[in-house]
């Protein structure tokens, strides 16, 4: 289901991704986003029920990397601060931003990201096609994740930018809530937290713990 109309927006300056026209001179931190649409059946980024074309993703989860808009350019850091390829593009090492937390207080660290990559590669994931060559995900340090593949893939960093694999969920929330409930009230590390999800629409409130 495609996201509906934004009927009330007081956007944070760092989260202008919602579908609304905002005067740049009036952008400020904080506020509420109210989206008039049908019920969002699942806002879990790996769910086949993810609303096509929605702008929920960044608002709730933030992103590992941001696209630069320039072909061949190094991807811009966000929740991840950098990446390097090695072993003939069969290994991707990702470094993470320190001190970030999810909206439930869980640490955003290599353990959380490794959990998400494994989850992305699972049979029920809508992004599993990008991880068919995955052989391992390791955590050599608290803020370093190493992804190893069986064949070279020069696009893996872009997958972690341009697909739903860029959205990192709180492992704690998934495990405590279960997949169905998590899809209705997901927990990420983005600038807005979903607080209302009904047949009439959704409400996202600014989250003061966002790192930016």
């Amino acid at each position: 289901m495609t996201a509906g109309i934004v009927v009330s927006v007081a956007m944070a300056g760092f989260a202008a991704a919602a579908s609304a026209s905002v005067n740049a001179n009036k952008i400020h931190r904080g506020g509420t986003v109210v989206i008039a649409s049908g019920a969002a059946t699942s806002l879990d980024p790996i769910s086949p029920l993810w609303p096509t074309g929605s702008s929920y993703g960044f608002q709730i989860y933030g992103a590992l990397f941001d696209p630069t808009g320039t072909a061949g350019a190094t991807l811009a850091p966000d929740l991840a601060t950098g990446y390097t390829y090695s072993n003939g593009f069969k290994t991707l090492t990702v470094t993470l931003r320190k001190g970030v937390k999810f909206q439930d207080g869980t640490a955003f660290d290599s353990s959380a990201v490794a959990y998400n990559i494994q989850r992305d590669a699972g049979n029920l994931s809508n992004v599993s096609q990008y991880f068919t060559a995955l052989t391992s995900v390791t955590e050599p340090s608290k803020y370093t994740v190493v992804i190893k593949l069986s064949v070279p893939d020069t696009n893996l960093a872009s997958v972690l930018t341009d697909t739903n694999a860029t959205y990192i969920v709180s492992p704690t929330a998934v495990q405590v809530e279960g997949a169905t409930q998590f899809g209705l009230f997901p927990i990420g590390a983005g600038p807005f937290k979903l607080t209302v999800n009904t047949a009439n629409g959704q409400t996202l409130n600014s989250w003061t713990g966002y790192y930016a």
Side-chain angles (χ1 to χ4, degrees):
M1 181 180 295
T2 303
I5 303 169
V6 177
V7 296
S8 176
V9 178
M11 296 292 295
F14 46 75
S19 54
S21 176
V22 181
N23 185 327
N25 293 326
K26 295 182 179 179
I27 291 175
H28 63 280
R29 291 179 180 271
T32 300
V33 180
V34 179
I35 302 174
S37 72
T41 306
S42 181
L43 295 175
D44 184 337
I46 70 165
S47 172
L49 300 176
W50 176 266
T52 304
S54 77
S55 61
Y56 292 103
F58 174 79
Q59 308 304 333
I60 297 170
Y61 298 105
L64 284 174
F65 298 104
D66 298 324
T68 62
T70 302
T74 300
L75 300 171
D78 199 325
L79 292 171
T81 57
Y83 64 95
T84 56
Y85 284 103
S86 59
N87 191 28
F89 289 97
K90 290 195 290 185
T91 299
L92 180 67
T93 300
V94 178
T95 54
L96 306 176
R97 191 172 299 280
K98 297 179 180 179
V100 174
K101 291 187 180 298
F102 290 98
Q103 295 158 354
D104 62 356
T106 300
F108 181 95
D109 57 16
S110 58
S111 177
V113 173
Y115 170 87
N116 275 260
I117 298 298
Q118 296 283 9
R119 194 168 180 261
D120 290 338
N123 292 334
L124 300 179
S125 168
N126 68 10
V127 292
S128 62
Q129 67 270 29
Y130 301 113
F131 297 95
T132 56
L134 181 69
T135 59
S136 68
V137 186
T138 57
E139 311 150 35
S141 74
K142 187 174 181 179
Y143 297 107
T144 304
V145 178
V146 178
I147 306 169
K148 293 186 177 181
L149 309 173
S150 59
V151 297
D153 186 352
T154 60
N155 293 317
L156 185 56
S158 295
V159 167
L160 298 179
T161 306
D162 298 326
T163 75
N164 275 19
T166 196
Y167 303 139
I168 304 300
V169 307
S170 164
T172 302
V174 173
Q175 293 160 5
V176 170
E177 296 180 27
T180 300
Q181 185 65 15
F182 181 85
L184 295 174
F185 290 96
I187 297 294
F192 284 83
K193 182 176 181 179
L194 182 70
T195 55
V196 175
N197 184 6
T198 69
N200 297 320
Q202 294 76 44
T203 300
L204 291 81
N205 292 105
S206 63
W207 181 55
T208 56
Y210 185 58
Y211 82 90

